[in-house]
Amino acid sequence: MVKTRSSTHDGKGENSSTSSTKYSVTSAERFHNDLSSNVSMAWRGRASEHRLYTVYDHICSHLCNIVEPSGYPKNTISHTPQDLFGVEVPPAGSEPQAPLNKKELYEERFPDFARHIFCSSEYLRLLIDCWEIKGLNIPASWDSEQARRAALKAISGEMEQVFVTAMAGFAHNPNWEHVHALLIIGVYFSQFVWTRPEGEIERALSDISINHVLTKEEMQNVMKRYEDRITQFKSRALPKVQFYNAPVFKFHTPTDDHPIRVTLSPEFLFATRLPLKKHFKSCKIQSSWLSPPSRKPCGWPKSVDPDVLVRLALIDSHVALVKNRIRNLRHQSATPANPKESPGYKPDHRLKASLQKSPLAGKVARPRRVIPGVKRGAKDAAHDVPAPAQEQKDDGQAVGNPADGESNHDDERPVEDDPGEGGMLSGDEADDDADRQSDGEDELHLPVGGDDNDGQSDEEEDEDSSDDPDDSDNSDNSDDPDDSEDLDQESDEDSFGEVDEDSGDDESSNLEEDD
């Protein structure tokens, strides 16, 4: 039991004769100094809510120390961090119990703090209240108007967790008739009081994940599930609001020792005494600096209607979300994935075009490089581009590179003006171009991308090329070992398969028959 009178100390580490060793005396000054230091530390570490646990553990422990429950000392009051609102695991050595299917039970919850009355002779705990603590990470000071508005805005997002925690308390503890819940956001709190709902506490229906086109039967089942969720949301038990975004502390003028100096506010003292006053009237409570005012302070500003805000957070917003999903699902089902399954469905011209369009319609054929001395068909020639070592004149005659210091005016023309200079040729133009380069009988036919010397030696190739007077200009380029080496490398890179050097003659004869 905490005593309010101050103790004297003789400076030698021993109490004076005016005090007694039977008491642990705590003064209001010591409590508030410790509280101010803890709040200062929480403000500096406001990026995390964990620093707030030290603040409210300090408060909660002192609130328990001034209460003597009925049946004391067998019964006592204490607070539990991370309390369990769920299925208790049987201790070792107890009688075995049948396994439980947790999927059929209400989910477990763990409030940050919970005050209970415990019994030493039996496993019994009576809930006084539970506390859920959230951080308030803002640049403005906690006693500013910006901080109050930020905490007010954050309440609606945390109401779902507080509601589920209260329902878990009822579901797993049949002897609990009321749940007083404190939602603390930084240095502002709200108090909600739930009364046990009638009937069984139902587990919340899970959301529905849809990742494919639904059949008619699946659509009916999904719609039924959505309607059940709406019914469950509308049947939720709403709490009675005692305080809504009220301050936990009164901020005082800073001192050199305490840049943040606080005491507990009348609103918070009244809220923490309320469950004891209503449901545990037999408890003896010591008068101290923790005593609340006799009359209830104002619980919220006049501009705020907490009942409307709580209903919006727990019911209306969830119902609106489910209805929006139903509308979206019906809109998606109006357009079947396969129009053939719906004879009466008539797609518009855009959908028809997208369904009839080939996925390869926009793909451009890969250009193939022209190999000197090789005759190609019209279909293959349409995709050819000339080799870099040769250039085509307007009359189709191949010429060598200009001498050093000379200017080749054909290089200055745009590519699109000369279809033979890297452009796409039509079938007739490709045939004429191929005829102009060879007489058609004495030339060697090679597979696309193959080795241009397969099946014929370099000497034989030179003899064939020298027989044609029109190709005399190409002899210098084709005999250049550097050019032929580059050409072989390029043809090897463009080929899709390897050609056996021993079978070059057979492949050449087969290609002549195909052409």
Side-chain angles (χ1 to χ4, degrees), residues 132-343:
E132 196 66 48
I133 301 171
K134 300 297 177 182
L136 184 60
N137 187 18
I138 60 171
S141 61
W142 276 347
D143 60 337
S144 64
E145 181 64 19
Q146 294 89 335
R148 187 191 66 81
R149 288 199 300 263
L152 178 64
K153 185 178 179 180
I155 293 176
S156 58
E158 308 296 343
M159 279 300 303
E160 182 70 16
Q161 180 180 355
V162 179
F163 170 81
V164 176
T165 300
M167 294 302 107
F170 288 131
H172 297 288
N173 300 274
N175 59 329
W176 293 3
E177 295 296 329
H178 303 277
V179 172
H180 291 248
L182 291 179
L183 172 60
I184 302 173
I185 300 178
V187 294
Y188 298 89
F189 81 98
S190 301
Q191 187 179 41
F192 309 101
V193 181
W194 273 277
T195 302
R196 173 178 287 276
E198 297 181 359
E200 184 180 359
I201 308 298
E202 297 181 355
R203 185 184 180 93
L205 294 175
S206 59
D207 199 1
I208 306 171
S209 177
I210 301 174
N211 54 8
H212 65 283
V213 179
L214 301 178
T215 63
K216 185 177 180 180
E217 182 179 357
E218 290 175 337
M219 177 67 70
Q220 293 177 352
N221 294 335
V222 170
M223 290 299 179
K224 178 64 169 57
R225 179 67 172 273
Y226 278 143
E227 294 295 337
D228 291 342
R229 293 197 72 199
I230 291 177
T231 302
Q232 190 179 60
F233 284 131
K234 290 184 176 180
S235 62
R236 280 183 163 184
L238 295 177
K240 182 178 180 180
V241 182
Q242 294 291 346
F243 292 93
Y244 198 84
N245 202 43
V248 177
F249 307 109
K250 290 181 63 177
F251 286 80
H252 303 276
T253 304
T255 62
D256 294 338
D257 295 332
H258 297 290
I260 298 179
R261 184 166 162 263
V262 297
T263 58
L264 294 178
S265 67
E267 293 87 350
F268 189 77
L269 291 173
F270 192 93
T272 54
R273 182 66 60 88
L274 186 61
L276 293 170
K277 186 177 180 180
K278 281 193 171 184
H279 309 297
F280 301 94
K281 297 180 179 181
S282 59
C283 291
K284 298 179 181 180
I285 304 175
Q286 178 186 346
S287 298
S288 66
W289 68 89
L290 298 174
S291 299
S294 58
R295 299 184 60 179
K296 179 184 176 181
C298 180
W300 51 82
K302 295 181 180 180
S303 59
V304 176
D305 190 343
D307 293 331
V308 173
L309 297 177
V310 169
R311 181 179 180 85
L312 178 63
L314 294 180
I315 297 179
D316 295 343
S317 61
H318 295 283
V319 172
L321 179 61
V322 175
K323 288 184 177 180
N324 185 54
R325 291 182 178 178
I326 292 176
R327 286 192 297 268
N328 293 337
L329 188 59
R330 286 174 177 171
H331 176 72
Q332 295 174 3
S333 63
T335 304
N338 187 2
K340 295 181 180 180
E341 296 181 357
S342 301

Side-chain angles (χ1 to χ4, degrees), residues 54 134 150 461:
T54 304
K134 300 297 177 182
E461 182 182 1

Side-chain angles (χ1 to χ4, degrees), residues 114-130:
R115 290 191 297 170
H116 291 280
I117 294 178
F118 297 103
C119 181
S120 60
S121 60
E122 58 178 326
Y123 189 78
L124 174 66
R125 59 174 187 168
L126 301 177
L127 178 68
I128 297 176
D129 57 9
C130 59

